[in-house]
Amino acid sequence: MSAVSDAAPTTLKPVAPSVGWSDRWRTQLEVLSVVVVALVIFFLVRPMLWGHHFIGFDWYTHLWYIWHQEGSIKQNLVPSLYNFNQTGVFDPHFAFYGGTLYVLAALISLVVGHVAAFAITWIMAFVMAEGGFYWLARQAGAGPVVAHAPGVLFISSAWWLSGIYAWGSWGQAVAVASLPLVAASAIAVLRADRLRLGPAAALAFSTLMYTGSHNLTMLWASTLSAIVLVVLFAVVPAARRLVFQKAGLKRLALVMVPAVLVNAWFLLPDVLYQGQTLIATNATYAEGLVTTSMNFVEAKYLFSIKYTNGMKDFTHQSAALPLLGTVWSAVAVVLALPSWRSMWLRLALVAFAVMVVVWQIHTRLNWILALPSPYDRIQAPYRLQSYITLGMGFFVVCALALMARTRDWRRWWLVALVPAVLVTVLSAKALVDQPLGPFYQPPWKQPRAYWAKDEPPFGAADYVDGRLDVVQVDPTMPRVQFDAKVAQDRHKASAQVLASPGQYVASNLKAATWLVKVDGARIVAMDNAGNAILEVQGQPDAKGNVTVTAQAKSPWPVVGGRILTLLGLLGLAFGAVRLLRSRPAEHESAPPAPPVSA
């Protein structure tokens, strides 16, 4: 034995750890990485900040709907299920299309204006996606700098930017961006010894946005998530141990249930009536949309690194799959040489399998059309690439976790992440800054008043009663014209028409029979724009005019949804107060949860 080992042990007085140059350098590098990520987001959202170059057609549609919801809140202090405009009154748009996201933007609009509020919610989506993936990577054991890679690769992907700048798919982007944050905050809540304010707030907000932004995304993502969880429970024992614990599930329920209930004001009518809407019943139209857009997912567009190769004559459109992040992750997994018992290998394989399966689905027309309604109402198969891109993000997280657990030359493979991320970000910047087609020019620069004659015809017939017959209106037919401003302010409007009982008249009332009550007439059909054809039932006055009144209808799904929303808000408020009051009682801050072991 050596002299040192034979000697009596020396007692050392504990001292405070010194802060060396390596610690300071590490802290500065972490701060620098956050600044770089902020700059990446800035480069990708610049068109929203100066000149408001909102390119995709849906940009203006959503902006217009935000402005209308803002008007409803200003007038009535509560959000409305309806949109009122010159194309038709009592259009139940907000009952069927992510109503809570419009309300959030409208509330922000009260302070900063509707254009700034719209840009803020887009930036919120960028932050949720990047922050959620960063949190997941840190939980997996990745370092504070490389943990930004999955999120940066996600927000620089072709699907993400094309969905924003070519489609203007606002609700879909927010719903998809919330998923990484839902996953990260849910894991944090499950792993904690008790509920804490930060993770609880992140889980509540991301759940609220996920269930309140885009119904079809919520349906597809929830279904895929359920399937993936079943697979994980079967092949990853740690997943079962994490989820199937009474205390953790109770904490999840305390946060997620009231957050979902907040959206009940529109979700309950949506769930009960959506199957009867025109967009759900018109299978021919849905099939045509998918069929004519299959060219978006041709191999020559999918397997391309240069995003600006996008579709001809389609501004900013690119369907390139997230190849760089996927290839880097695949090589990292192979280099790490994990055994089959490795949790991270199994998670990586599940993530990769999701990517492959969704890729197969969205490139096969017959598979999509064979899906039950409303899964087949995706409009364009390109929309499914959101789940491929999410899979790539989780795949990168797993690769980082495996690399973090190596202690030899293989760790240098992390260096290869730098050019992969750099090329992706530069390609993304080019996709944003160099449109391939003409900019879409809206018919107006600012929203017009509800009753203005030059208001753009953005009112849609998607959410009227699809069970009604569609008829061609005779130009000589009498017409009932309800005042859009009065209807918006009072949720009730009356108009007179020169007609006799039993006579058919046209109207500007959207034919949403479940949510609209009509006195003096009844809805019997609709025109091509979804406006009601009425059969007069009221008695004419001395001049032969019949008064017809339309007003908001409140069946039990609407009343029940409002009650549930109120309960959800009270539940979140009560929970927040409890957590805030418990913080001063803590004698010391809780240590961060350790990374999940292999």
Side-chain angles (χ1 to χ4, degrees):
M1 283 187 150
S2 65
V4 174
S5 60
D6 291 335
T10 303
T11 302
L12 296 177
K13 182 179 179 181
V15 295
S18 62
V19 179
W21 283 107
S22 60
D23 298 315
R24 294 174 181 173
W25 178 81
R26 187 179 297 110
T27 300
Q28 292 173 359
L29 191 60
E30 292 174 15
V31 173
L32 179 62
S33 68
V34 174
V35 173
V36 170
V37 171
L39 287 174
V40 170
I41 295 176
F42 169 75
F43 280 125
L44 299 181
V45 302
R46 282 183 1 266
M48 309 178 194
L49 304 179
W50 284 279
H52 310 306
H53 295 310
F54 303 147
I55 299 162
F57 180 84
D58 280 356
W59 275 90
Y60 297 94
T61 307
H62 293 306
L63 184 62
W64 184 73
Y65 278 125
I66 290 170
W67 181 73
H68 277 255
Q69 186 65 270
E70 178 191 2
S72 294
I73 292 175
K74 281 182 177 179
Q75 180 64 33
N76 303 304
L77 302 181
V78 292
S80 174
L81 291 172
Y82 311 94
N83 185 49
F84 304 89
N85 55 81
Q86 285 298 308
T87 68
V89 297
F90 291 103
D91 172 17
H93 177 82
F94 305 113
F96 294 98
Y97 196 101
T100 299
L101 180 58
Y102 286 108
V103 173
L104 174 65
L107 292 174
I108 299 174
S109 299
L110 297 176
V111 180
V112 299
H114 67 281
V115 175
F118 196 33
I120 288 172
T121 54
W122 278 112
I123 296 171
M124 175 193 73
F126 276 84
V127 173
M128 282 198 302
E130 205 286 328
F133 274 120
Y134 174 80
W135 196 356
L136 283 171
R138 292 290 287 143
Q139 289 172 332
V145 177
V146 297
H148 287 290
V152 172
L153 287 169
F154 181 89
I155 63 174
S156 302
S157 66
W159 165 79
W160 176 257
L161 294 174
S162 292
I164 294 172
Y165 290 109
W167 281 12
S169 299
W170 181 51
Q172 176 185 245
V174 172
V176 171
S178 67
L179 279 169
L181 189 55
V182 169
S185 55
I187 292 173
V189 169
L190 284 170
R191 293 172 60 200
D193 58 341
R194 63 182 181 83
L195 195 60
R196 289 182 170 81
L197 183 61
L203 181 59
F205 182 75
S206 56
T207 301
L208 182 67
M209 288 293 95
Y210 172 60
T211 57
S213 298
H214 194 259
N215 301 345
L216 192 59
T217 296
M218 180 175 61
L219 176 67
W220 265 91
S222 297
T223 303
L224 287 173
S225 298
I227 296 173
V228 169
L229 280 176
V230 171
V231 174
L232 290 180
F233 293 155
V235 301
V236 183
R240 295 195 299 270
R241 293 193 296 269
L242 177 66
V243 174
F244 294 123
Q245 47 163 320
K246 185 176 180 180
L249 288 175
K250 181 180 178 181
R251 290 192 295 269
L252 277 186
L254 286 174
V255 177
M256 298 186 75
V257 170
V260 174
L261 289 181
V262 171
N263 293 316
W265 70 279
F266 82 90
L267 275 182
L268 194 56
D270 173 41
V271 170
L272 293 176
Y273 300 134
Q274 65 83 23
Q276 302 170 1
T277 59
L278 183 61
I279 196 171
T281 57
N282 194 344
T284 302
Y285 177 69
E287 180 178 340
L289 285 176
V290 176
T291 302
T292 56
S293 57
M294 286 301 295
N295 66 295
F296 285 101
V297 290
E298 294 177 7
K300 63 182 179 180
Y301 297 127
L302 293 178
F303 297 98
S304 171
I305 294 179
K306 187 179 180 182
Y307 295 171
T308 50
N309 278 344
M311 309 300 175
K312 182 181 179 181
D313 299 326
F314 204 91
T315 305
H316 283 231
Q317 182 66 53
S318 178
L321 296 175
L323 296 179
L324 289 177
T326 305
V327 170
W328 180 91
S329 303
V331 176
V333 170
V334 171
L335 285 178
L337 293 175
S339 68
W340 171 243
R341 296 175 61 87
S342 169
M343 176 185 72
W344 296 108
L345 174 61
R346 298 185 185 191
L347 290 174
L349 292 177
V350 172
F352 187 75
V354 169
M355 298 172 66
V356 173
V357 170
V358 177
W359 164 48
Q360 293 298 306
I361 292 174
H362 91 315
T363 54
R364 284 166 169 76
L365 176 63
N366 291 337
W367 290 18
I368 296 175
L369 298 182
L371 294 170
S373 179
Y375 290 94
D376 61 342
R377 302 307 200 256
I378 61 172
Q379 295 183 327
Y382 177 76
R383 172 170 277 169
L384 296 182
Q385 282 191 220
S386 58
Y387 310 107
I388 299 177
T389 309
L390 283 170
M392 181 272 303
F394 291 116
F395 195 31
V396 176
V397 169
C398 295
L400 290 175
L402 289 170
M403 286 289 101
R405 286 157 176 80
T406 61
R407 292 294 181 267
D408 52 24
W409 62 269
R410 291 171 295 176
R411 287 181 60 85
W412 286 98
W413 179 246
L414 286 172
V415 176
L417 193 58
V418 176
V421 173
L422 184 61
V423 171
T424 305
V425 170
L426 292 178
S427 297
K429 184 177 180 296
L431 179 62
V432 171
D433 292 344
Q434 298 173 14
L436 299 178
F439 281 89
Y440 171 75
Q441 294 296 327
W444 42 271
K445 297 300 182 183
Q446 292 291 330
R448 298 291 191 262
Y450 295 104
W451 56 92
K453 293 182 180 180
D454 59 347
E455 186 180 36
F458 282 166
D462 290 341
Y463 307 117
V464 297
D465 193 340
R467 301 169 299 178
L468 295 171
D469 292 331
V470 179
V471 299
Q472 186 68 35
V473 176
D474 184 345
T476 64
M477 180 183 291
R479 181 177 177 85
V480 178
Q481 186 72 23
F482 297 101
D483 188 289
K485 182 67 168 80
V486 173
Q488 182 259 331
D489 290 347
R490 303 177 183 175
H491 275 48
K492 181 178 181 179
S494 297
Q496 289 188 330
V497 59
L498 185 62
S500 304
Q503 185 175 354
Y504 291 163
V505 297
S507 75
N508 67 330
L509 171 67
K510 291 297 181 186
T513 58
W514 334 272
L515 299 174
V516 177
K517 180 182 178 182
V518 183
D519 294 320
R522 69 183 185 94
I523 299 175
V524 294
M526 62 181 171
D527 61 19
N528 291 324
N531 293 322
I533 305 299
L534 303 173
E535 180 185 2
V536 175
Q537 293 182 321
Q539 294 300 317
D541 59 16
K543 297 182 179 179
N545 293 318
V546 176
T547 299
V548 180
T549 301
Q551 59 185 312
K553 189 177 181 180
S554 297
W556 74 262
V558 173
V559 176
R562 291 170 180 168
I563 294 174
L564 291 176
T565 292
L566 181 59
L567 291 176
L569 290 170
L570 291 175
L572 290 179
F574 177 75
V577 171
R578 285 285 302 272
L579 291 175
L580 285 171
R581 292 184 63 182
S582 68
R583 293 183 70 188
E586 299 176 5
H587 297 289
E588 57 182 12
S589 59
V596 180
S597 60

